[in-house]
Amino acid sequence: MHIMEGFLPFEHAIGWSLASAPFIGWGLLALGKRIRDKPEQRMLIGVAAAFAFVLSALKLPSLSGSSSHPTGTGLGALLFGPVAMAPIGTVVLLFQALLLAHGGLTTLGANVFSMAIVGPLVASMTFRMMRWLHCSFSVSVFCAAALADLFTYLTTSVQLALAFPDSVSGFSGALVKFSSIFAITQIPLAISEGLLSIVIFNALARFNPQELRDMAVLPAKRSGA
Amino acid sequence: MKRHRNALLLLIVVLLAALPLWLVKAPVPTDASPPSDIFTGTDDKARALISQISPDYKPWFTPLLQPASSEIASLLFALQAALGAGFIGYYLGVSLNREKQQRINQQKSGKQSDAD
């Protein structure tokens, strides 16, 4: 998943790690504050992490002939804001990097940036915009989760194209090539992720309507962007 | 109605995952090329593209721990999915129970206020 161990030049690996670090720190502070203020939400934070765990373990075949997996970060971003997903996504990525040789430690910064920062940010912004445009809750959830998934892999393509520009067509040529691998495979998977996110939101709304009303439907106090 | 909708959504997810298995045909192997794989991971494809764009690039770090075989790798993936799904199931079970308990308590207090 994402960029494999050792497959980013040293400077890029350092650069993406430095770019991701402040978000992880900010996210840890935000999560800590939330657990202190609302300890009853601890379980729901666990659910957001568990959802990302399940979805990033599902390697699905795609119409492009290769397989990849969804990311599951959209749900948590809608519940707890995009910043909170930075540390949660990092845990998922660390699990896969350490135990499964999937992703990597040197590429962790870059993978955190695409999956745990850009994806959740896209999810939150999409959701807020669609709710503001009076789209239905389910449609907004679907688009937020699906676009978060897609933008995660587009970011990966950008990262790889920056590191390995094509000798003839440069950055843009490489971007087209990398995104034709990642993004095209990801389109049906993004749709799956959007649908699964609706299902889990339905389940959460069925049992915890008040909690959800407090958190997701009402706009958050602070913008994550 | 809601329950049917969820079942329908899950059905679409299953179809999205299953249809490619029928629709995508494996490339016809030629004598020159080794039998081509289908449904390999996108990372492997990306790695192949990297070595095509810059053939001189050598990965400068290797994973600390490699799953001993693809079986072990699928074991760990299954474990990851099971941990996540287990927790979600646990949470939903707890929520269901709590809701039930609340309803019982409401009924009790309702009866009491009737009695007063």
Side-chain angles (χ1 to χ4, degrees):
Chain A
M1 172 202 69
H2 305 305
I3 305 175
M4 298 172 87
E5 186 77 287
F7 273 88
L8 268 189
F10 184 74
E11 308 81 54
H12 288 254
I14 297 289
W16 288 113
S17 303
L18 289 179
S20 295
F23 288 95
I24 297 176
W26 184 11
L28 282 174
L29 286 179
L31 275 179
K33 183 176 185 308
R34 187 178 282 273
I35 289 175
R36 246 177 295 123
D37 294 350
K38 299 194 165 134
E40 71 277 7
Q41 284 181 7
R42 253 181 310 191
M43 289 280 279
L44 213 50
I45 294 174
V47 169
F51 190 67
F53 244 71
V54 178
L55 260 63
S56 59
L58 292 181
K59 290 201 274 190
L60 299 169
S62 174
L63 282 170
S64 69
S66 51
S67 34
S68 184
H69 55 78
T71 62
T73 54
L75 174 80
L78 300 191
L79 287 174
F80 301 109
V83 188
M85 281 317 279
I88 293 176
T90 306
V91 172
V92 178
L93 287 167
L94 262 179
F95 179 92
Q96 296 199 320
L98 290 175
L99 292 177
L100 290 155
H102 220 59
L105 292 178
T106 60
T107 53
L108 185 67
N111 289 335
V112 165
F113 198 85
S114 61
M115 185 183 113
I117 297 172
V118 172
L121 210 60
V122 168
S124 282
M125 292 191 322
T126 307
F127 184 76
R128 255 179 239 169
M129 203 177 74
M130 295 195 65
R131 290 301 283 169
W132 183 72
L133 292 171
H134 301 289
C135 298
S136 84
F137 186 76
S138 294
V139 172
S140 307
V141 167
F142 173 81
C143 291
L147 282 180
D149 184 311
L150 216 52
F151 269 81
T152 296
Y153 284 87
L154 274 177
T155 309
T156 303
S157 307
V158 169
Q159 289 168 330
L160 282 173
L162 281 172
F164 302 100
D166 196 86
S167 54
V168 184
S169 47
F171 168 78
S172 53
L175 179 61
V176 170
K177 287 183 181 175
F178 281 112
S179 53
S180 72
I181 291 180
F182 283 114
I184 307 236
T185 301
Q186 209 61 29
I187 289 172
L189 301 195
I191 296 173
S192 294
E193 168 152 9
L195 296 174
L196 285 173
S197 298
I198 299 179
V199 171
I200 189 98
F201 254 110
N202 281 346
L204 293 178
R206 158 84 177 72
F207 295 121
N208 302 55
Q210 191 53 50
E211 214 167 356
L212 232 55
R213 219 168 288 142
D214 292 344
M215 301 161 59
V217 184
L218 295 175
K221 271 176 277 175
R222 189 172 173 165
S223 156
Chain B
M1 192 60 210
K2 266 267 160 72
R3 192 171 300 159
H4 286 303
R5 201 178 66 153
N6 275 351
L8 188 71
L9 291 176
L10 288 175
L11 182 73
I12 298 175
V13 171
V14 171
L15 281 180
L16 272 173
L19 280 179
L21 300 174
W22 278 287
L23 294 181
V24 179
K25 293 275 177 284
V28 182
T30 52
D31 293 340
S33 69
S36 39
D37 292 324
I38 194 168
F39 297 127
T40 50
T42 45
D43 347 358
D44 293 323
K45 293 212 159 175
R47 178 171 53 184
L49 182 58
I50 290 172
S51 52
Q52 196 188 320
I53 289 180
S54 47
D56 299 331
Y57 184 80
K58 292 268 178 297
W60 53 281
F61 200 80
T62 47
L64 301 174
L65 213 68
Q66 284 272 14
S69 69
S70 61
E71 276 74 17
I72 305 297
S74 29
L75 165 76
L76 289 168
F77 272 115
L79 182 70
Q80 187 189 340
L83 284 174
F87 188 86
I88 294 176
Y90 170 73
Y91 177 80
L92 291 179
V94 168
S95 302
L96 185 68
N97 250 333
R98 187 178 52 189
E99 196 198 47
K100 235 181 234 166
Q101 199 60 45
Q102 271 171 357
R103 208 178 307 146
I104 292 171
N105 288 347
Q106 268 169 9
Q107 274 172 355
K108 267 187 195 160
S109 61
K111 271 181 195 154
Q112 269 170 1
S113 57
D114 284 349
D116 284 345

